[in-house]
Amino acid sequence: MDRASIQKTYVSRNISSGARSFFSPSELIFYLALILNIAFSVFYPVYSSLHKYYAYVVFICAFLIFACGKKLKYSGMKAVGMVAFIGMNVLAILMNGSGMGVLIQILWPLCIIYMFKNFHIPDAYIARINVLMMAGWILAVAGSLSYTAAYFEAFEQNVEQRGINPNTIAIIIVTTCLFLGLYIDGKSKSKLWKIIVYVISFAALYRTRSRTSMVAYFAILIVELLLKKKIKRLKKLALILVTLIIAAGIIFPIVYVGLYRNGIITYDTLFLRKRVFTGRQYIWANLWNYLQQNHSAFIWGVGYNTELYSRGTFNLHNAYLMIFAQYGLPTLLVYLAYIIYSVAGMYGKSGQISDLQFKCYQILLYVLIVGFGETVLSYLPNLIYIAMAIGIGCRERLEVD
């Protein structure tokens, strides 16, 4: 592009420049949702008070955000596709008996992405989000200090623990860490401060002993060190990497169960002082046995009320299997295709992405890798992060006005 075109490029070089000072209604609602999300994920008193009603709170936030848009801007085939997708999920829910409440797991991230794409969000909006995420990082790091050897020993013995799940804290630590890095880039561009933030985040992650988050954290840092420049200018490489991670996440349960059944890794093998096999092998094996006896479940899912583990909890501990189990194979394929499509949507006509967009891409990679062992694509408190990453990344796409 020539100099004049570059000057017109829609990308934030400085996240706080040229911003309007007032707050729009949708902005305030989203800030409230983000604050509630962080508080729900960090403070046990908030979690214990809201966990029965959290889905209703999210429903209200989604409705109000859509209402602030005055009118929907979907048209033509996009509108038809959206209606068909939602209708397909409603049909699956009716067939498998999950209950219509689970539909919010689909509507909430779509609402957030729609807001970022269509509400003409100013740079100050992104700057304020970064400030909130910085506060969330501080709270999450502080929260990690509560995890001691006694906590994990009790957890191992199935003794009920009054506290936030360490895997949830770990997800907050990493996602907020990346937004904090983005904030540093926009303000001071200090590599030293970023290194300090990354080191503190690692120490906090280690205290949570969240293995999936630690693996994902190292993976995205390696991508940043080795592939950042290539990914910023090569859309094909970015899409291949996302596709490979998704494929690995789907295959991972098969490998995990195989390692257990064949005794390649023993039940007493430890990693970070926790057993490698944590019960997920039973859940995934039971899902496969259920599918063999109920072939229609491949289309409609198994339903939220199906018991796949002796403890009676419907948690597949794998993001991809969870969507499949709740909505069926067609929804899973469309969902994953939309994620890949969204990554492609971050790249504009120039075929490049900015540093801000690369951070969004990193968050997306992190969520997809954590999905190997956690239901991060369907657990309501976590959905806001992947939706923010996609929404901000597409909002900042490099397009000539």
Side-chain angles (χ1 to χ4, degrees), residues 381-397:
N382 297 152
L383 289 181
I384 201 166
Y385 301 114
I386 188 170
M388 283 170 56
I390 292 174
I392 294 174
C394 291
R395 176 254 183 198
E396 292 288 325
R397 62 186 176 274

Side-chain angles (χ1 to χ4, degrees), residues 58-299:
V58 173
F59 259 121
I60 292 171
C61 290
F63 173 79
L64 291 176
I65 287 176
F66 267 124
C68 291
K70 296 182 179 178
K71 64 178 181 179
L72 294 177
K73 296 182 180 179
Y74 283 113
S75 60
M77 292 304 298
K78 285 187 177 180
V80 173
M82 186 61 63
V83 171
F85 178 65
I86 294 175
M88 179 175 66
N89 286 292
V90 169
L91 181 59
I93 290 169
L94 292 174
M95 293 294 294
N96 65 38
S98 288
M100 295 303 294
V102 300
L103 192 62
I104 191 59
Q105 298 170 357
I106 297 292
L107 296 179
W108 181 227
L110 289 176
C111 172
I112 296 171
I113 294 169
Y114 179 84
M115 178 190 68
F116 278 104
K117 283 184 175 182
N118 295 284
F119 285 15
H120 302 293
I121 292 170
D123 291 345
Y125 198 147
I126 311 300
R128 292 166 189 146
I129 287 174
N130 288 333
V131 172
L132 290 175
M133 296 294 275
M134 177 175 63
W137 179 79
I138 294 171
L139 294 172
V141 169
S144 71
L145 300 177
S146 64
Y147 297 111
T148 63
Y151 177 94
F152 290 103
E153 288 171 3
F155 191 79
E156 185 71 22
Q157 296 170 7
N158 294 326
V159 176
E160 183 178 356
Q161 293 297 304
R162 293 180 60 85
I164 299 294
N165 189 301
N167 293 320
T168 301
I169 290 283
I171 290 169
I172 301 293
I173 290 170
V174 178
T175 50
T176 54
C177 164
L178 292 172
F179 273 92
L180 182 53
L182 180 61
Y183 184 80
I184 293 171
D185 285 342
K187 289 295 184 180
S188 65
K189 302 186 184 300
S190 171
K191 291 184 179 180
L192 176 60
W193 276 113
K194 285 181 67 174
I195 292 173
I196 292 173
V197 167
Y198 287 163
V199 170
I200 293 175
S201 297
F202 169 75
L205 276 176
Y206 185 78
R207 289 192 66 88
T208 67
R209 298 189 200 171
S210 178
R211 280 118 16 133
T212 51
S213 278
M214 290 191 70
V215 170
Y217 183 68
F218 279 115
I220 62 174
L221 292 184
I222 291 172
V223 169
E224 182 174 3
L225 289 172
L226 301 180
L227 298 175
K228 180 178 179 179
K229 292 183 179 179
K230 290 184 178 180
I231 288 175
K232 285 178 63 177
R233 67 174 188 271
L234 295 175
K235 179 169 67 173
K236 185 176 181 179
L237 176 60
L239 294 176
I240 289 174
L241 187 56
V242 167
T243 304
L244 289 176
I245 289 173
I246 289 173
I250 295 172
I251 295 171
F252 177 74
I254 300 173
V255 176
Y256 188 88
V257 173
L259 292 174
Y260 176 76
R261 285 179 169 173
N262 296 317
I264 298 174
I265 297 177
T266 66
Y267 181 76
D268 294 323
T269 302
L270 301 179
F271 175 48
L272 284 181
R273 292 175 287 169
K274 293 197 300 186
R275 285 191 176 93
V276 171
F277 296 111
T278 58
R280 288 170 170 80
Q281 70 275 20
Y282 303 126
I283 297 172
W284 295 337
N286 290 340
L287 173 64
W288 178 245
N289 292 335
Y290 182 91
L291 291 171
Q292 288 181 310
Q293 298 172 17
N294 301 272
H295 293 162
S296 63
F298 280 98
I299 304 299

Side-chain angles (χ1 to χ4, degrees), residues 28 39 41 90 104 168 219 242 247 304 313 339 368 385 388 400:
L28 291 175
S41 303
V90 169
I104 191 59
T168 301
V242 167
Y304 189 81
T313 178
I339 290 177
L368 293 176
Y385 301 114
M388 283 170 56
V400 177

